[in-house]
Amino acid sequence: MRLILFVLLFLSYSNSLKAQTTAVLSPDKNLELKVSVIYGKVFYSLFYQKEEFLSQSPLGLLSSAGDFTKELKLIGKTSSKIQESYKLNRSKVSQVNYLANESKFTFTNKQKDTISIIFRISNSDVAFSYLIPKTKKNNGDCIVEKEITGFKLPSGTTTFITPQAPPLSGWEKTKPSYEEEYTREEKIGTKSQYGLGFTFPALFHLGNKGWLLISETGISGNYPGTRLSDVDSDGIYTISFPQEGENNFNGAVTASSTLPMQTSWKTITLGKTLKPIVESTVSTDVVKPLIKSSKIFDTGRASWSWIVWQDESCNYNDQKTFIDLASDLKCEFILIDALWDVKIGKEKITELVNYAKSKNVGVILWYNSNGNWNTAPQTPKDKMNTAEARRKEMQWLQQIGVKGLKIDFFGGDKQVTMKLYHDILTDAAEFGLGINFHGATLPRGWERMYPNYMTSEAVLASENLVFQQGFSDRYPSTATIYPFTRNTVGAMDFGPVFLNKRLHRDPNKGTIRRTTDAFEMATAVVFFSPVQHWGLTPENLKEKPSYLFDYLKNVPTVWDETVYIDGYPGKYCVIARRKNTKWYVAAINGENVRKKITVNLPMLKGKEISIIADGNDQESKFSTQKLQNTTFDFDLSANGGTVLFTP
């Protein structure tokens, strides 16, 4: 009898370890999350309309508060509905109505340590975060050494992702900085270029099933920025923490916080088409505003001498010329780039700020972020890396009337670096300064968290059009990848819109532009950034038709609505955006062949529209028409584009 009881008890215990599975549905019941505990390990999987989009993938982390990678038991689950409306004033939409089902799963390990995993499931997004509570046993600081969080994609999936660069690599040891080329339909399992995994966001094409995007949000100095590993032997991408060499070996690669401790949110957006990915707001849905300010932080367009005229243009006279250009184009800003402190000086910069004010133009100034994390020599240096120096500089900037800062050359994704971003944004908000980060990490929910956050580079941006003919040759294709990857999760300061045939001050030198003028006009809409730095030069106003500049004088940089129309990464992209009652629909062709695309545009039915389309060679043509029905036929030249807009 005792033996029978022992066997029964053992079988009962064994079965309890073997599998505990529970499911959560999205509000529309199309998306299903399954969470399982199998032999003490936690897994999750995702299904969309009954099809598996993410196979059984591991969850858990290793911390000083407990090992939550094994011997876990589900001890509780609570569920609630999230229904929230919030506004954004520097984003691709202005009003968000967020509806999701939240489930909090609580687990204990063999030592009775506790962890919760919070899932939020909307109709097209899944976000999840780990929460380590404060208990009698664990009530101090906590260090998270690693996550085993994984993502197992179906076989046959292909990728559009960028590799992680080695620390202290690149020009003047300024990498990693999210400035690598995207893969194009590469098979999952292919080793990354440097063997270090991949950065967020990561786009996956699941063949006929659809598309899936993985990213991260909700970091404000509370956690390091993470990335995806190379695929392991089980076909799983796992979360990787920063490398030792990032930030020039300063700071830990782990995460630390006082308990209770919540990690970043990992986000997954999926659907049959790219529509939910382009239109997703998950990066701001699961975060909250961190600081408040009564100050107004303006958005808009900027002239920018450096991008075509380069370092030699950082002098008083050329900057005055570009202030005039900004005024002529009705730009809100001029960006004065690196070396202004030595080539112009603070006294003359004050004069330029005052001259710009007289033209109703605000000034944005460039700064090097540096402490010692790279060897980039451009100045001003050592002004943003410590609180004392930063606040002293920002006080002076506020006094002379500077509107914003572009801060460059950060050191990686360690928690200490993420805290520097937070500290800069917090101090700058106090002094009324908008912030643009370059040579920087991916923004993670910052459009909602900080009132003065404007935009970030975190992409292989337009400077490479000037530096490399190869990048310029590939640019049409690359430009059709960014709207489905990098730009879906946050503002992207690419620096678009070029009209010079060659990107140099001397028209007979420099790289050759491959795109048409209409393509360039379309990128003002296809690329989203609350501050857009145009690649225009003064001679463009004399050489090109006035309707191009009439359009650029009025095109918004923040939007009330964004709608995916059509597209395929690397091939073409059509996106519609609305500001107030005015619609802009932009199409770009990423291939060097003529392309005809018929799309449905119900928002334009019965409306008078203006059209900037491809003309002869690189030139454009302008027309107007009334759209009688909901369809429109785009006729795109090789590497061409079109933009439609309503009065």
mmCIF file of all heavy atoms in Angstrom, residues 52 80 89 114-115 138 149-150 158 162 180 226 302 307 327 377 420 466 491 497 519 530 557 574 580 592 626 629:
data_model
loop_
_atom_site.group_PDB
_atom_site.id
_atom_site.type_symbol
_atom_site.label_atom_id
_atom_site.label_comp_id
_atom_site.label_asym_id
_atom_site.label_seq_id
_atom_site.Cartn_x
_atom_site.Cartn_y
_atom_site.Cartn_z
ATOM 1 N N GLU A 52 0.525 29.077 -36.136
ATOM 2 C CA GLU A 52 1.627 29.331 -35.216
ATOM 3 C C GLU A 52 2.614 30.326 -35.827
ATOM 4 O O GLU A 52 3.196 30.072 -36.871
ATOM 5 C CB GLU A 52 2.341 28.025 -34.876
ATOM 6 C CG GLU A 52 3.372 28.173 -33.769
ATOM 7 C CD GLU A 52 3.987 26.848 -33.364
ATOM 8 O OE1 GLU A 52 4.657 26.238 -34.215
ATOM 9 O OE2 GLU A 52 3.783 26.431 -32.211
ATOM 10 N N SER A 80 -6.564 41.114 -16.332
ATOM 11 C CA SER A 80 -7.311 42.374 -16.324
ATOM 12 C C SER A 80 -7.366 42.916 -17.745
ATOM 13 O O SER A 80 -6.597 42.493 -18.617
ATOM 14 C CB SER A 80 -6.659 43.397 -15.393
ATOM 15 O OG SER A 80 -5.331 43.669 -15.809
ATOM 16 N N ASN A 89 2.271 64.178 -29.093
ATOM 17 C CA ASN A 89 2.406 65.399 -29.906
ATOM 18 C C ASN A 89 3.675 65.416 -30.751
ATOM 19 O O ASN A 89 3.961 66.410 -31.410
ATOM 20 C CB ASN A 89 2.354 66.649 -29.017
ATOM 21 C CG ASN A 89 3.489 66.717 -28.017
ATOM 22 O OD1 ASN A 89 4.379 65.867 -28.010
ATOM 23 N ND2 ASN A 89 3.463 67.724 -27.155
ATOM 24 N N THR A 114 10.479 34.400 -5.876
ATOM 25 C CA THR A 114 9.283 34.703 -6.679
ATOM 26 C C THR A 114 9.611 35.639 -7.828
ATOM 27 O O THR A 114 10.398 36.587 -7.681
ATOM 28 C CB THR A 114 8.203 35.350 -5.793
ATOM 29 O OG1 THR A 114 7.889 34.467 -4.714
ATOM 30 C CG2 THR A 114 6.938 35.633 -6.592
ATOM 31 N N ILE A 115 8.982 35.385 -8.974
ATOM 32 C CA ILE A 115 9.058 36.279 -10.126
ATOM 33 C C ILE A 115 7.708 36.274 -10.827
ATOM 34 O O ILE A 115 6.986 35.274 -10.802
ATOM 35 C CB ILE A 115 10.173 35.854 -11.111
ATOM 36 C CG1 ILE A 115 10.419 36.948 -12.161
ATOM 37 C CG2 ILE A 115 9.836 34.524 -11.782
ATOM 38 C CD1 ILE A 115 11.634 36.692 -13.041
ATOM 39 N N ASN A 138 14.207 38.847 -0.125
ATOM 40 C CA ASN A 138 14.931 39.703 -1.075
ATOM 41 C C ASN A 138 14.364 41.116 -0.981
ATOM 42 O O ASN A 138 13.270 41.383 -1.482
ATOM 43 C CB ASN A 138 14.759 39.172 -2.507
ATOM 44 C CG ASN A 138 15.445 37.842 -2.715
ATOM 45 O OD1 ASN A 138 16.633 37.685 -2.427
ATOM 46 N ND2 ASN A 138 14.699 36.856 -3.207
ATOM 47 N N THR A 149 15.247 34.701 -22.302
ATOM 48 C CA THR A 149 14.127 35.002 -23.187
ATOM 49 C C THR A 149 14.487 34.648 -24.620
ATOM 50 O O THR A 149 15.534 35.054 -25.126
ATOM 51 C CB THR A 149 13.790 36.498 -23.115
ATOM 52 O OG1 THR A 149 13.612 36.864 -21.746
ATOM 53 C CG2 THR A 149 12.552 36.815 -23.918
ATOM 54 N N GLY A 150 13.608 33.902 -25.286
ATOM 55 C CA GLY A 150 13.913 33.458 -26.640
ATOM 56 C C GLY A 150 12.762 33.651 -27.601
ATOM 57 O O GLY A 150 11.617 33.921 -27.212
ATOM 58 N N THR A 158 12.440 34.289 -43.252
ATOM 59 C CA THR A 158 13.563 35.106 -43.710
ATOM 60 C C THR A 158 13.603 36.410 -42.926
ATOM 61 O O THR A 158 12.625 36.793 -42.271
ATOM 62 C CB THR A 158 13.467 35.400 -45.217
ATOM 63 O OG1 THR A 158 12.194 35.989 -45.509
ATOM 64 C CG2 THR A 158 13.635 34.129 -46.022
ATOM 65 N N THR A 162 19.591 43.977 -38.658
ATOM 66 C CA THR A 162 20.945 44.529 -38.725
ATOM 67 C C THR A 162 21.845 43.867 -37.684
ATOM 68 O O THR A 162 21.426 43.605 -36.560
ATOM 69 C CB THR A 162 20.951 46.050 -38.481
ATOM 70 O OG1 THR A 162 20.259 46.346 -37.259
ATOM 71 C CG2 THR A 162 20.285 46.783 -39.609
ATOM 72 N N GLU A 180 24.283 49.693 -39.196
ATOM 73 C CA GLU A 180 24.725 48.604 -40.063
ATOM 74 C C GLU A 180 23.676 48.359 -41.146
ATOM 75 O O GLU A 180 22.523 48.773 -41.030
ATOM 76 C CB GLU A 180 24.942 47.329 -39.241
ATOM 77 C CG GLU A 180 25.857 47.499 -38.033
ATOM 78 C CD GLU A 180 27.250 47.992 -38.369
ATOM 79 O OE1 GLU A 180 27.832 47.497 -39.359
ATOM 80 O OE2 GLU A 180 27.763 48.863 -37.636
ATOM 81 N N THR A 226 19.062 45.707 -24.838
ATOM 82 C CA THR A 226 19.407 44.334 -25.190
ATOM 83 C C THR A 226 19.286 44.124 -26.700
ATOM 84 O O THR A 226 18.844 45.009 -27.431
ATOM 85 C CB THR A 226 18.509 43.319 -24.445
ATOM 86 O OG1 THR A 226 17.181 43.378 -24.967
ATOM 87 C CG2 THR A 226 18.492 43.611 -22.951
ATOM 88 N N ALA A 302 14.439 71.591 -40.724
ATOM 89 C CA ALA A 302 15.689 72.310 -40.494
ATOM 90 C C ALA A 302 16.546 72.322 -41.752
ATOM 91 O O ALA A 302 16.618 71.328 -42.478
ATOM 92 C CB ALA A 302 16.477 71.666 -39.353
ATOM 93 N N ILE A 307 25.636 68.383 -44.232
ATOM 94 C CA ILE A 307 25.383 67.138 -44.924
ATOM 95 C C ILE A 307 25.921 67.157 -46.354
ATOM 96 O O ILE A 307 26.414 66.150 -46.845
ATOM 97 C CB ILE A 307 23.881 66.759 -44.887
ATOM 98 C CG1 ILE A 307 23.669 65.342 -45.419
ATOM 99 C CG2 ILE A 307 23.028 67.765 -45.632
ATOM 100 C CD1 ILE A 307 24.371 64.269 -44.634
ATOM 101 N N SER A 327 14.891 80.302 -43.659
ATOM 102 C CA SER A 327 13.833 81.310 -43.720
ATOM 103 C C SER A 327 13.075 81.230 -45.038
ATOM 104 O O SER A 327 11.840 81.267 -45.071
ATOM 105 C CB SER A 327 14.434 82.706 -43.527
ATOM 106 O OG SER A 327 13.438 83.699 -43.605
ATOM 107 N N PRO A 377 37.188 63.193 -32.327
ATOM 108 C CA PRO A 377 37.814 64.450 -31.908
ATOM 109 C C PRO A 377 36.914 65.677 -32.001
ATOM 110 O O PRO A 377 37.267 66.728 -31.481
ATOM 111 C CB PRO A 377 38.980 64.584 -32.890
ATOM 112 C CG PRO A 377 38.468 63.925 -34.147
ATOM 113 C CD PRO A 377 37.599 62.799 -33.687
ATOM 114 N N LEU A 420 22.677 57.807 -19.013
ATOM 115 C CA LEU A 420 23.148 59.084 -19.551
ATOM 116 C C LEU A 420 22.097 59.693 -20.477
ATOM 117 O O LEU A 420 21.843 60.908 -20.421
ATOM 118 C CB LEU A 420 24.472 58.895 -20.288
ATOM 119 C CG LEU A 420 25.048 60.154 -20.953
ATOM 120 C CD1 LEU A 420 25.354 61.232 -19.912
ATOM 121 C CD2 LEU A 420 26.301 59.818 -21.759
ATOM 122 N N VAL A 466 26.763 60.584 -48.779
ATOM 123 C CA VAL A 466 27.890 61.462 -49.098
ATOM 124 C C VAL A 466 29.211 60.691 -49.032
ATOM 125 O O VAL A 466 30.100 60.876 -49.860
ATOM 126 C CB VAL A 466 27.923 62.665 -48.135
ATOM 127 C CG1 VAL A 466 29.101 63.582 -48.431
ATOM 128 C CG2 VAL A 466 26.609 63.445 -48.213
ATOM 129 N N ALA A 491 10.931 57.579 -33.760
ATOM 130 C CA ALA A 491 11.398 58.608 -34.686
ATOM 131 C C ALA A 491 12.789 58.266 -35.207
ATOM 132 O O ALA A 491 13.648 57.783 -34.464
ATOM 133 C CB ALA A 491 11.419 59.960 -33.979
ATOM 134 N N VAL A 497 15.781 64.194 -48.288
ATOM 135 C CA VAL A 497 15.440 65.208 -49.295
ATOM 136 C C VAL A 497 16.696 65.906 -49.849
ATOM 137 O O VAL A 497 17.165 66.919 -49.318
ATOM 138 C CB VAL A 497 14.426 66.241 -48.787
ATOM 139 C CG1 VAL A 497 14.032 67.185 -49.923
ATOM 140 C CG2 VAL A 497 13.188 65.556 -48.210
ATOM 141 N N PHE A 519 11.121 60.979 -55.861
ATOM 142 C CA PHE A 519 11.490 60.043 -54.789
ATOM 143 C C PHE A 519 11.913 60.841 -53.549
ATOM 144 O O PHE A 519 11.478 60.550 -52.424
ATOM 145 C CB PHE A 519 12.632 59.156 -55.272
ATOM 146 C CG PHE A 519 13.120 58.131 -54.272
ATOM 147 C CD1 PHE A 519 12.834 56.794 -54.444
ATOM 148 C CD2 PHE A 519 13.909 58.494 -53.175
ATOM 149 C CE1 PHE A 519 13.303 55.833 -53.552
ATOM 150 C CE2 PHE A 519 14.377 57.557 -52.275
ATOM 151 C CZ PHE A 519 14.074 56.212 -52.465
ATOM 152 N N PRO A 530 10.108 63.983 -35.940
ATOM 153 C CA PRO A 530 9.525 65.268 -35.544
ATOM 154 C C PRO A 530 10.366 66.471 -35.948
ATOM 155 O O PRO A 530 9.830 67.565 -36.125
ATOM 156 C CB PRO A 530 9.423 65.157 -34.021
ATOM 157 C CG PRO A 530 9.314 63.700 -33.764
ATOM 158 C CD PRO A 530 10.215 63.066 -34.786
ATOM 159 N N THR A 557 5.848 67.429 -40.019
ATOM 160 C CA THR A 557 6.828 66.467 -39.513
ATOM 161 C C THR A 557 6.260 65.608 -38.393
ATOM 162 O O THR A 557 6.889 64.634 -37.986
ATOM 163 C CB THR A 557 8.097 67.169 -38.999
ATOM 164 O OG1 THR A 557 7.739 68.027 -37.914
ATOM 165 C CG2 THR A 557 8.752 67.984 -40.106
ATOM 166 N N VAL A 574 4.430 52.335 -49.940
ATOM 167 C CA VAL A 574 3.402 53.366 -50.066
ATOM 168 C C VAL A 574 2.792 53.576 -48.678
ATOM 169 O O VAL A 574 2.252 52.631 -48.088
ATOM 170 C CB VAL A 574 2.302 52.995 -51.068
ATOM 171 C CG1 VAL A 574 1.362 54.185 -51.293
ATOM 172 C CG2 VAL A 574 2.885 52.511 -52.386
ATOM 173 N N ASN A 580 -4.246 67.094 -39.292
ATOM 174 C CA ASN A 580 -5.549 67.764 -39.304
ATOM 175 C C ASN A 580 -6.406 67.127 -40.392
ATOM 176 O O ASN A 580 -6.628 65.926 -40.357
ATOM 177 C CB ASN A 580 -5.371 69.265 -39.475
ATOM 178 C CG ASN A 580 -4.594 69.879 -38.311
ATOM 179 O OD1 ASN A 580 -4.775 69.467 -37.169
ATOM 180 N ND2 ASN A 580 -3.732 70.834 -38.593
ATOM 181 N N ASN A 592 15.485 49.362 -59.620
ATOM 182 C CA ASN A 592 15.940 50.124 -60.788
ATOM 183 C C ASN A 592 15.176 49.723 -62.053
ATOM 184 O O ASN A 592 15.745 49.590 -63.132
ATOM 185 C CB ASN A 592 17.452 49.912 -60.981
ATOM 186 C CG ASN A 592 18.051 50.937 -61.927
ATOM 187 O OD1 ASN A 592 17.567 52.063 -62.031
ATOM 188 N ND2 ASN A 592 19.095 50.550 -62.640
ATOM 189 N N LYS A 626 -8.977 65.614 -59.509
ATOM 190 C CA LYS A 626 -9.957 65.182 -58.521
ATOM 191 C C LYS A 626 -10.060 63.671 -58.597
ATOM 192 O O LYS A 626 -10.297 63.110 -59.668
ATOM 193 C CB LYS A 626 -11.317 65.823 -58.781
ATOM 194 C CG LYS A 626 -12.346 65.534 -57.685
ATOM 195 C CD LYS A 626 -13.618 66.345 -57.894
ATOM 196 C CE LYS A 626 -14.594 66.111 -56.752
ATOM 197 N NZ LYS A 626 -15.818 66.941 -56.898
ATOM 198 N N ASN A 629 -12.723 58.044 -57.601
ATOM 199 C CA ASN A 629 -13.024 56.828 -56.834
ATOM 200 C C ASN A 629 -11.911 56.575 -55.829
ATOM 201 O O ASN A 629 -11.136 57.481 -55.527
ATOM 202 C CB ASN A 629 -13.228 55.637 -57.770
ATOM 203 C CG ASN A 629 -12.077 55.507 -58.772
ATOM 204 O OD1 ASN A 629 -10.921 55.654 -58.394
ATOM 205 N ND2 ASN A 629 -12.399 55.245 -60.026
#
